[in-house]
Coordinates of all heavy atoms in Angstrom, one line a residue:
M1 N -52.5 38.3 18.8 CA -53.8 39.0 18.5 C -53.5 40.3 17.9 O -52.7 41.1 18.4 CB -54.6 39.1 19.8 CG -55.9 39.9 19.7 SD -56.8 40.4 21.1 CE -57.2 38.9 21.8
H2 N -54.2 40.5 17.0 CA -54.1 41.9 16.2 C -55.4 42.7 16.8 O -56.5 42.2 16.9 CB -54.3 41.8 14.8 CG -53.2 41.0 14.2 ND1 -51.9 41.7 13.9 CD2 -53.0 39.9 13.6 CE1 -51.1 40.9 13.4 NE2 -51.7 39.7 13.2
E3 N -55.1 44.0 17.1 CA -56.1 44.9 17.5 C -56.3 46.0 16.4 O -55.2 46.7 16.1 CB -55.7 45.6 18.9 CG -56.9 46.4 19.4 CD -56.6 47.0 20.8 OE1 -56.1 46.2 21.6 OE2 -56.6 48.2 20.9
L4 N -57.5 46.1 15.8 CA -57.6 47.0 14.7 C -58.7 47.9 15.1 O -59.8 47.6 15.8 CB -58.1 46.2 13.4 CG -57.0 45.1 13.0 CD1 -57.7 44.3 11.9 CD2 -55.9 45.7 12.6
S5 N -58.6 49.1 14.7 CA -59.7 50.2 14.8 C -60.4 50.4 13.4 O -59.8 50.5 12.5 CB -59.1 51.5 15.1 OG -58.4 51.4 16.4
R6 N -61.8 50.3 13.4 CA -62.6 50.5 12.3 C -63.8 51.2 12.6 O -64.1 51.4 13.8 CB -63.1 49.0 11.8 CG -62.0 48.1 11.3 CD -61.4 48.3 10.1 NE -60.2 49.1 10.2 CZ -59.4 49.7 9.3 NH1 -59.8 49.6 8.1 NH2 -58.3 50.3 9.7
H7 N -64.3 51.9 11.6 CA -65.5 52.8 11.8 C -66.7 52.0 10.9 O -66.5 51.1 10.1 CB -65.3 54.1 11.1 CG -64.3 54.9 11.8 ND1 -62.9 55.0 11.4 CD2 -64.4 55.7 12.9 CE1 -62.3 55.7 12.2 NE2 -63.1 56.2 13.1
P8 N -67.9 52.3 11.4 CA -69.0 51.7 10.6 C -68.9 51.8 9.2 O -68.4 52.8 8.6 CB -70.2 52.5 11.1 CG -69.9 53.0 12.5 CD -68.3 53.3 12.4
G9 N -69.2 50.6 8.5 CA -68.9 50.6 7.0 C -67.5 50.1 6.6 O -67.5 49.6 5.5
E10 N -66.6 50.1 7.4 CA -65.3 49.6 7.1 C -65.2 48.1 7.3 O -66.0 47.6 8.1 CB -64.3 50.4 7.9 CG -64.1 51.8 7.6 CD -62.9 52.5 8.4 OE1 -62.7 52.2 9.5 OE2 -62.5 53.5 7.7
Q11 N -64.3 47.5 6.6 CA -64.2 46.1 6.7 C -62.8 45.6 7.0 O -61.8 46.4 6.8 CB -64.6 45.5 5.2 CG -65.9 45.9 4.6 CD -66.1 45.3 3.3 OE1 -65.3 45.2 2.6 NE2 -67.5 45.1 3.0
I12 N -62.7 44.3 7.5 CA -61.4 43.6 7.6 C -61.6 42.4 6.7 O -62.6 41.6 6.9 CB -61.4 43.2 9.2 CG1 -61.2 44.5 9.9 CG2 -60.0 42.4 9.3 CD1 -61.3 44.3 11.4
V13 N -60.6 42.1 5.9 CA -60.6 41.0 4.9 C -59.5 39.9 5.5 O -58.5 40.4 5.8 CB -60.3 41.5 3.6 CG1 -60.2 40.1 2.6 CG2 -61.2 42.5 3.1
I14 N -60.1 38.7 5.6 CA -59.2 37.6 6.1 C -59.1 36.6 4.9 O -60.0 36.0 4.5 CB -59.8 36.9 7.4 CG1 -59.9 38.1 8.4 CG2 -58.9 35.8 7.8 CD1 -60.6 37.5 9.7
G15 N -57.9 36.4 4.4 CA -57.6 35.5 3.3 C -58.4 36.1 2.1 O -58.6 37.2 1.9
D16 N -58.8 35.1 1.2 CA -59.5 35.5 0.0 C -61.0 35.7 0.2 O -61.6 36.2 -0.8 CB -59.1 34.5 -1.1 CG -57.6 34.5 -1.4 OD1 -57.0 35.6 -1.3 OD2 -57.1 33.4 -1.9
D17 N -61.5 35.1 1.1 CA -63.0 34.9 1.0 C -63.8 35.1 2.4 O -65.0 34.8 2.5 CB -63.4 33.5 0.5 CG -62.7 32.4 1.2 OD1 -62.1 32.7 2.2 OD2 -62.9 31.3 0.8
I18 N -63.1 35.8 3.4 CA -63.9 36.0 4.6 C -63.7 37.6 4.8 O -62.6 38.2 4.8 CB -63.3 35.3 5.8 CG1 -63.3 33.8 5.6 CG2 -63.9 35.7 7.1 CD1 -62.5 33.0 6.6
V19 N -64.9 38.2 5.0 CA -65.0 39.7 5.1 C -65.7 39.9 6.4 O -66.9 39.4 6.7 CB -65.6 40.4 4.0 CG1 -65.8 41.9 4.3 CG2 -64.9 40.1 2.7
I20 N -65.2 40.8 7.4 CA -65.9 41.1 8.6 C -66.2 42.6 8.5 O -65.2 43.4 8.2 CB -65.1 40.9 9.9 CG1 -64.7 39.4 10.0 CG2 -65.7 41.4 11.1 CD1 -63.8 39.0 11.0
E21 N -67.4 43.0 8.6 CA -67.8 44.5 8.5 C -68.3 45.0 9.7 O -69.1 44.4 10.4 CB -68.7 44.7 7.3 CG -69.1 46.1 7.0 CD -69.9 46.3 5.9 OE1 -70.2 45.4 5.0 OE2 -70.5 47.4 5.7
V22 N -68.0 46.2 10.0 CA -68.5 46.9 11.3 C -69.9 47.5 10.7 O -69.8 48.4 9.9 CB -67.6 48.0 11.8 CG1 -68.2 48.8 12.9 CG2 -66.2 47.4 12.2
L23 N -70.9 47.0 11.3 CA -72.3 47.5 10.9 C -72.7 48.7 11.6 O -73.3 49.7 11.2 CB -73.3 46.4 10.9 CG -73.0 45.1 10.2 CD1 -74.0 44.0 10.4 CD2 -72.9 45.5 8.7
E24 N -72.5 48.7 13.0 CA -73.0 49.8 13.8 C -72.2 49.8 15.2 O -71.8 48.8 15.7 CB -74.5 49.5 14.1 CG -75.2 50.4 15.0 CD -76.6 50.0 15.3 OE1 -77.2 49.1 14.7 OE2 -77.3 50.7 16.2
I25 N -72.0 50.9 15.6 CA -71.4 51.1 17.0 C -72.4 52.0 17.8 O -72.7 53.0 17.3 CB -70.1 51.8 16.9 CG1 -69.0 51.0 16.0 CG2 -69.4 52.0 18.3 CD1 -67.8 51.6 15.8
S26 N -72.8 51.4 18.9 CA -73.8 52.1 19.7 C -73.3 51.9 21.3 O -73.4 50.9 21.8 CB -75.2 51.6 19.6 OG -76.0 52.3 20.4
G27 N -72.8 53.1 21.7 CA -72.2 53.0 23.1 C -71.1 52.0 23.1 O -70.1 52.0 22.5
S28 N -71.3 50.9 24.1 CA -70.1 49.9 24.1 C -70.5 48.7 23.3 O -69.8 47.7 23.4 CB -69.9 49.6 25.6 OG -71.2 48.9 26.1
Q29 N -71.4 48.8 22.6 CA -71.9 47.6 21.7 C -71.4 47.8 20.3 O -71.7 48.8 19.7 CB -73.4 47.4 21.7 CG -73.9 46.0 21.7 CD -75.3 45.9 22.0 OE1 -76.2 46.7 21.6 NE2 -75.7 44.9 22.7
V30 N -70.9 46.8 19.7 CA -70.4 46.8 18.3 C -71.2 45.6 17.5 O -71.2 44.5 17.9 CB -69.0 46.6 18.2 CG1 -68.5 46.5 16.6 CG2 -68.4 47.7 19.0
R31 N -71.9 45.9 16.4 CA -72.6 45.0 15.5 C -71.6 44.7 14.3 O -71.2 45.6 13.7 CB -73.9 45.4 15.0 CG -74.9 45.5 16.2 CD -76.4 45.8 15.7 NE -76.7 44.8 14.8 CZ -77.5 45.0 13.7 NH1 -77.9 46.2 13.4 NH2 -77.8 44.0 13.0
L32 N -71.4 43.4 14.2 CA -70.5 42.9 13.1 C -71.2 42.1 12.0 O -72.1 41.3 12.3 CB -69.2 42.1 13.6 CG -68.3 42.8 14.6 CD1 -67.2 41.8 15.2 CD2 -67.7 44.1 13.9
G33 N -70.8 42.2 10.8 CA -71.4 41.2 9.8 C -70.2 40.4 9.3 O -69.2 41.1 9.0
V34 N -70.5 39.1 9.1 CA -69.5 38.3 8.6 C -69.9 37.6 7.4 O -70.9 37.0 7.2 CB -69.0 37.2 9.6 CG1 -68.0 36.3 9.3 CG2 -68.8 37.8 11.0
T35 N -69.2 37.8 6.3 CA -69.4 37.2 5.0 C -68.4 36.1 4.8 O -67.3 36.4 4.8 CB -69.2 38.2 3.8 OG1 -70.2 39.1 4.0 CG2 -69.5 37.5 2.5
A36 N -68.8 34.9 4.6 CA -67.8 33.6 4.4 C -68.5 32.6 3.6 O -69.7 32.5 3.7 CB -67.4 33.2 5.9
P37 N -67.6 31.8 3.1 CA -68.3 30.6 2.3 C -69.0 29.7 3.3 O -68.8 29.6 4.5 CB -67.0 29.8 1.9 CG -65.9 30.8 1.9 CD -66.2 31.8 2.9
K38 N -70.1 29.0 2.9 CA -71.0 28.3 3.7 C -70.2 27.1 4.4 O -70.7 26.7 5.6 CB -72.1 27.6 2.8 CG -73.1 28.7 2.3 CD -74.2 28.0 1.7 CE -75.2 29.1 1.3 NZ -76.5 28.6 1.2
D39 N -69.1 26.7 3.9 CA -68.4 25.6 4.6 C -67.5 26.1 5.8 O -66.9 25.3 6.5 CB -67.5 24.9 3.6 CG -66.4 25.7 2.9 OD1 -66.6 26.8 2.8 OD2 -65.4 25.0 2.7
V40 N -67.4 27.5 5.9 CA -66.6 28.0 7.0 C -67.6 28.3 8.2 O -68.6 28.9 8.0 CB -65.9 29.5 6.5 CG1 -65.3 30.1 7.8 CG2 -65.0 29.1 5.5
K41 N -67.4 27.7 9.4 CA -68.1 27.8 10.5 C -67.7 29.1 11.3 O -66.6 29.4 11.3 CB -68.1 26.6 11.5 CG -68.5 25.3 10.9 CD -68.4 24.1 11.8 CE -69.0 23.0 11.1 NZ -68.8 21.8 11.9
V42 N -68.8 29.9 11.7 CA -68.6 31.1 12.3 C -69.3 31.1 13.7 O -70.5 31.5 13.8 CB -69.0 32.4 11.5 CG1 -68.6 33.6 12.3 CG2 -68.3 32.4 10.1
P43 N -68.7 30.4 14.6 CA -69.5 30.3 16.0 C -69.4 31.5 16.7 O -68.5 32.4 16.6 CB -68.6 29.2 16.7 CG -67.3 29.3 16.1 CD -67.4 29.7 14.7
R44 N -70.5 31.7 17.5 CA -70.6 33.0 18.4 C -70.2 32.5 19.8 O -70.8 31.5 20.1 CB -71.9 33.6 18.3 CG -72.3 34.3 17.0 CD -73.4 35.1 17.1 NE -74.7 34.2 16.9 CZ -76.0 34.6 17.0 NH1 -76.2 35.9 17.4 NH2 -76.9 33.9 16.9
T45 N -69.4 33.3 20.4 CA -69.2 33.0 21.9 C -69.4 34.2 22.6 O -69.4 35.3 22.2 CB -67.7 32.6 22.0 OG1 -66.8 33.6 21.6 CG2 -67.4 31.3 21.2
A46 N -69.6 34.1 24.0 CA -69.8 35.1 24.9 C -69.0 34.8 26.1 O -68.6 33.6 26.5 CB -71.3 35.3 25.2
P47 N -68.6 35.9 26.9 CA -67.9 35.6 28.1 C -68.7 34.8 29.1 O -70.0 34.9 29.1 CB -67.7 36.9 28.8 CG -67.7 37.8 27.6 CD -68.8 37.2 26.7
L48 N -68.1 33.8 29.8 CA -68.8 32.9 30.7 C -69.1 33.9 31.9 O -68.3 34.7 32.2 CB -67.9 31.9 31.1 CG -67.6 30.8 30.0 CD1 -66.7 29.7 30.4 CD2 -69.0 30.2 29.4
P49 N -70.1 33.5 32.7 CA -70.5 34.4 33.8 C -69.3 34.6 34.9 O -69.2 35.7 35.3 CB -71.6 33.6 34.6 CG -72.2 32.8 33.4 CD -71.0 32.5 32.5
W50 N -68.4 33.6 35.0 CA -67.4 33.8 36.0 C -66.2 34.6 35.4 O -65.4 35.1 36.2 CB -66.9 32.4 36.4 CG -66.5 31.5 35.3 CD1 -67.3 30.5 34.6 CD2 -65.2 31.3 34.7 NE1 -66.5 29.9 33.7 CE2 -65.3 30.5 33.6 CE3 -64.1 32.1 34.8 CZ2 -64.2 30.1 32.8 CZ3 -62.9 31.8 34.0 CH2 -63.1 30.8 33.0
Q51 N -66.3 34.8 34.1 CA -65.1 35.7 33.6 C -65.3 37.1 33.7 O -64.5 38.0 33.7 CB -65.1 35.5 32.1 CG -64.4 34.0 31.8 CD -64.3 33.8 30.3 OE1 -65.2 34.1 29.6 NE2 -63.3 33.3 29.8
G52 N -66.6 37.6 34.0 CA -67.0 38.9 34.3 C -66.7 39.8 33.1 O -66.5 39.3 32.0
R53 N -66.9 41.1 33.2 CA -66.6 42.2 32.2 C -65.4 42.9 32.4 O -65.2 43.3 33.6 CB -67.7 43.0 32.0 CG -69.1 42.3 31.5 CD -70.1 43.3 31.4 NE -71.0 42.8 30.3 CZ -71.4 43.4 29.2 NH1 -70.9 44.6 29.0 NH2 -72.3 42.9 28.5
S54 N -64.6 43.3 31.5 CA -63.5 44.1 31.7 C -64.0 45.5 31.5 O -64.9 45.8 30.6 CB -62.2 43.8 30.8 OG -62.7 43.9 29.4
S55 N -63.3 46.4 32.2 CA -63.8 47.8 31.9 C -62.7 48.8 31.6 O -61.6 48.4 31.5 CB -64.5 48.4 33.2 OG -64.0 48.0 34.4

């Protein structure tokens, strides 16, 4: 796993056609925008209740 630090407005480019942009950081919440071809699935996942939150 790569851990990257980005600021709002900055992007991470994966391959030739996938871009992840940091849209907003508010407290502990981060909003990301993903630009990818329509044939690329971008599923959203969330921690399961039993996994808890790390602090």
Side-chain angles (χ1 to χ4, degrees):
M1 175 190 303
H2 293 284
E3 185 175 313
L4 304 169
S5 297
R6 300 284 95 191
H7 294 98
E10 293 183 330
Q11 300 176 335
I12 298 167
V13 179
I14 301 172
D16 293 329
D17 52 6
I18 300 173
V19 178
I20 300 170
E21 182 175 349
V22 179
L23 301 175
E24 178 182 354
I25 300 173
S26 179
S28 63
Q29 213 171 37
V30 178
R31 292 185 62 217
L32 301 173
V34 179
T35 303
K38 290 188 178 203
D39 63 329
V40 174
K41 294 182 180 178
V42 183
R44 290 192 276 177
T45 62
L48 298 173
W50 55 268
Q51 288 177 315
R53 291 180 158 241
S54 61
S55 38

